[in-house]
Amino acid sequence: MNSLQDMFDPRQFRASGHALIDLLADRLADSLAGQGKVLQWRAPTTEDRRWQQPLPQMPALATAELLEKLRDDILPAGLAIHHPRNLGHQVAAPLPMAALCDLVAALTNQAMAVYETGPAATMIERQVIRWLNELIGWQGADGVLTSGGAQANLTALLAARQQTAGWDIWQHGTAAGPPLKILASEHAHYSVARAAGIMGLGVNAVVKVAADDQGRMDLAALAQAHRQTAANGARILAVVATAGCTPTGSIDPLQQIGTYCREHGLWLHVDGAHGASALLSKKHSAALRGIALADSVVWDGHKLLYMPATVSAVLFRKPEHSYSAFAQEASYLFQGDSSSDETFNTSYRTLECTKRMMGLKLWAAFSLYGVQAMGELVERVFATARLLADQLQAAEDFELLMPPQTNIVCFRYRSGNQAALRQDLVESGAFHLTQVKLGETIWLRTTIMNPFTAESDLDALLTSIRDLKA
Ligand SMILES: Cc1ncc(COP(=O)(O)O)c(C=O)c1O
């Protein structure tokens, strides 16, 4: 039996920690070198059978056995996120130093809900928020870190609702006024519709605005949707533009949408979960021109800021809006008075009460590498995506959906069932990629997240698809 001392023993922590880091460093080295499979595919039902152990009443593993199990069983059964042929989802190949900072967050467990449960964590988060706002081009703005872009979108839309409804909707609910609508591109992330559902508006409150053939919100369609919604007697809660939409990575025309929203007094929310990181690059930031016209912006760290999941920023141009989403009094936390110290209690502004110390890893990455090197990571993956697009365009047996605006490339192999091709490729462990249905057509979809993905990996992807079909 383990004694209390054993369970918290700092010496044991030190020794196991060194061993664990060795093991992870080996895994990182292998993955970056492209060794082994991207994914050791096993059907979920098969994998599920391996995880049916009885609940241990007494120790079932020694620490050394836990490490062995991690090395031999658990890590190999995961997706090798740093593998250069991992081209699937918009999930960062995290910076190792950022991952180490997450270990700090885990052990020190700075709960963040109120300032005194994490004074340094609170200040680091505020620092990171100021930096991100500076990159947007905002001065005196505010915001907060939260767990994931979906939750960040909900938080921004809750704030927008409180500001734009025209009555105290937090207090009196949705039934106390006219219907509220959200105008968003047909390619907006599903979390926007989910936010409408959570807010009690119904998912039909999201009016889908058509996109052009490059996946960008069509301005005439936005104006038409606006007129129609107003004519129906509904009020517009927000216009949601996307910088880096999920299916194709397209960036809505933020300058024009922002100007339109300003002219018509509409709240503009920019979901930049994926694409806001283009702001780090002098070469690509122009694609986001107009983002500063937004009222709120969401920006995921665990996408193109190369952070371990999760860390997302929800940012507000007007600092007071950062307090609009969750307007209730939580007196047991905030002790009721309106002293300015209360503004340092982040849970006033997030769905989470306790939350992880998320700012440290971002603060460390910006401090260690600077905007320039972080921007180069973005530039590399954007350039690799363009290279892949060029290769696809040059190959007669492939069809490119559109030139990439970010790092997402969609394409089809001209013969064969795309879904079956993808499944075969994923199960082979040679590549990981996704698929997307646009209209009635299924496209293969790659997201280049890894700056080490090379031209030879792209060549191999095309060859593997051809070989599968052969
Ligand atoms: C445009 C966009 N918004 C929001 C999200 C949701 O972000 P998260 O997965 O961090 O909750 C995604 C996820 O892929 C996304 O692509």
Side-chain angles (χ1 to χ4, degrees):
M1 169 123 57
N2 289 303
S3 70
L4 185 59
Q5 274 71 21
D6 285 343
M7 290 165 83
F8 288 87
D9 183 8
R11 279 173 312 164
Q12 163 79 350
F13 175 71
R14 191 187 304 276
S16 312
H18 283 294
L20 177 62
I21 298 296
D22 284 344
L23 193 158
L24 289 173
D26 288 345
R27 167 89 174 162
L28 176 64
D30 288 350
S31 292
L32 287 174
Q35 278 175 23
K37 293 188 169 186
V38 178
L39 181 66
Q40 186 67 54
W41 172 260
R42 286 195 204 103
T45 42
T46 313
E47 191 63 0
D48 198 33
R49 279 196 291 277
R50 295 199 316 125
W51 293 98
Q52 301 290 344
Q53 304 95 345
L55 170 66
Q57 300 297 332
M58 300 299 283
L61 286 177
T63 307
E65 288 170 319
L66 172 65
L67 292 173
E68 270 169 34
K69 196 156 178 62
L70 268 169
R71 187 193 57 208
D72 301 336
D73 202 5
I74 297 175
L75 293 180
L79 181 67
I81 202 81
H82 290 93
H83 197 297
R85 296 187 180 183
N86 170 36
L87 310 173
H89 290 277
Q90 302 150 272
V91 180
L95 289 161
M97 285 307 295
L100 284 183
C101 289
D102 249 5
L103 176 61
V104 177
L107 186 74
T108 62
N109 226 10
Q110 304 296 286
M112 295 287 298
V114 290
Y115 169 71
E116 61 202 40
T117 57
T122 304
M123 292 308 157
I124 289 170
E125 172 165 326
R126 291 168 67 83
Q127 175 72 83
V128 164
I129 292 289
R130 281 192 292 272
W131 285 344
L132 296 178
N133 282 331
E134 186 181 324
L135 287 163
I136 289 176
W138 285 343
Q139 275 156 11
D142 205 344
V144 73
L145 296 179
T146 190
S147 304
Q151 199 178 134
N153 277 335
L154 170 65
T155 307
L157 291 171
L158 277 166
R161 184 178 78 158
Q162 189 67 6
Q163 290 302 319
T164 60
W167 71 98
D168 185 350
I169 196 164
W170 186 267
Q171 193 70 29
H172 303 297
T174 48
L180 297 172
K181 301 283 181 188
I182 296 168
L183 308 185
S185 153
E186 58 177 315
H187 298 311
H189 190 255
Y190 74 81
S191 58
V192 173
R194 185 172 283 186
I198 294 169
M199 290 192 288
L201 308 176
V203 293
N204 289 343
V206 179
V207 178
K208 286 191 181 166
V209 180
D212 65 17
D213 63 357
Q214 298 303 302
R216 297 176 294 219
M217 188 192 280
D218 183 273
L219 216 61
L222 171 65
Q224 166 63 19
H226 178 203
R227 277 193 300 275
Q228 189 63 50
T229 307
N232 293 343
R235 198 163 283 172
I236 292 175
L237 183 160
V239 172
V240 177
T242 312
C245 74
T246 317
T248 60
S250 304
I251 299 174
D252 287 338
L254 303 181
Q255 181 76 39
Q256 289 99 315
I257 296 172
T259 306
Y260 183 88
C261 288
R262 284 283 172 91
E263 277 168 8
H264 294 87
L266 299 171
W267 180 290
L268 173 60
H269 172 62
V270 174
D271 177 358
H274 186 74
S277 295
L279 290 170
L280 300 180
S281 154
K282 287 202 174 74
K283 200 165 167 191
H284 296 294
S285 57
L288 299 184
R289 191 171 293 126
I291 193 170
L293 294 169
D295 294 279
S296 52
V297 170
V298 160
W299 188 341
D300 269 8
H302 51 266
K303 293 191 167 68
L304 285 166
L305 289 173
Y306 292 86
M307 293 293 113
T310 54
V311 52
S312 302
V314 50
L315 305 162
F316 296 93
R317 180 166 49 82
K318 294 191 178 165
E320 63 272 24
H321 291 164
S322 181
Y323 296 84
S324 301
F326 305 101
Q328 97 274 35
E329 221 184 313
S331 52
Y332 64 97
L333 274 178
F334 303 114
Q335 304 177 3
D337 65 34
S338 58
S339 73
S340 61
D341 281 1
E342 209 172 294
T343 61
F344 294 96
N345 299 327
T346 61
S347 60
Y348 216 13
R349 299 187 277 154
T350 51
L351 184 59
E352 297 109 323
C353 177
T354 302
K355 77 173 183 189
R356 202 176 168 86
M357 180 191 197
M358 289 181 246
L360 178 65
K361 52 193 170 186
L362 259 177
W363 174 83
F366 277 120
S367 304
L368 288 169
Y369 312 119
V371 171
Q372 203 176 328
M374 302 272 286
E376 276 165 22
L377 295 179
V378 174
E379 286 176 10
R380 281 185 83 107
V381 293
F382 280 32
T384 309
R386 265 156 221 232
L387 192 60
L388 175 59
D390 291 345
Q391 287 189 354
L392 290 161
Q393 220 155 16
E396 281 181 2
D397 47 351
F398 284 92
E399 182 187 354
L400 175 70
L401 173 63
M402 62 175 74
Q405 293 164 46
T406 53
N407 58 335
I408 297 178
V409 184
C410 298
F411 61 96
R412 291 170 52 75
Y413 190 56
R414 286 192 192 273
S415 57
N417 175 319
Q418 309 302 305
L421 278 174
R422 188 197 85 89
Q423 194 64 32
D424 286 352
L425 208 52
V426 170
E427 291 186 15
S428 77
F431 287 91
H432 192 249
L433 72 169
T434 53
Q435 68 190 44
V436 61
K437 193 170 180 195
L438 294 168
E440 289 308 307
T441 311
I442 293 181
W443 297 85
L444 299 174
R445 174 179 173 276
T446 53
T447 313
I448 314 287
M449 297 298 289
N450 188 332
F452 292 96
T453 299
E455 189 167 1
S456 55
D457 298 309
L458 308 180
D459 293 339
L461 173 65
L462 270 56
T463 306
S464 300
I465 293 173
R466 290 183 178 118
D467 289 351
L468 274 177
K469 195 64 195 75

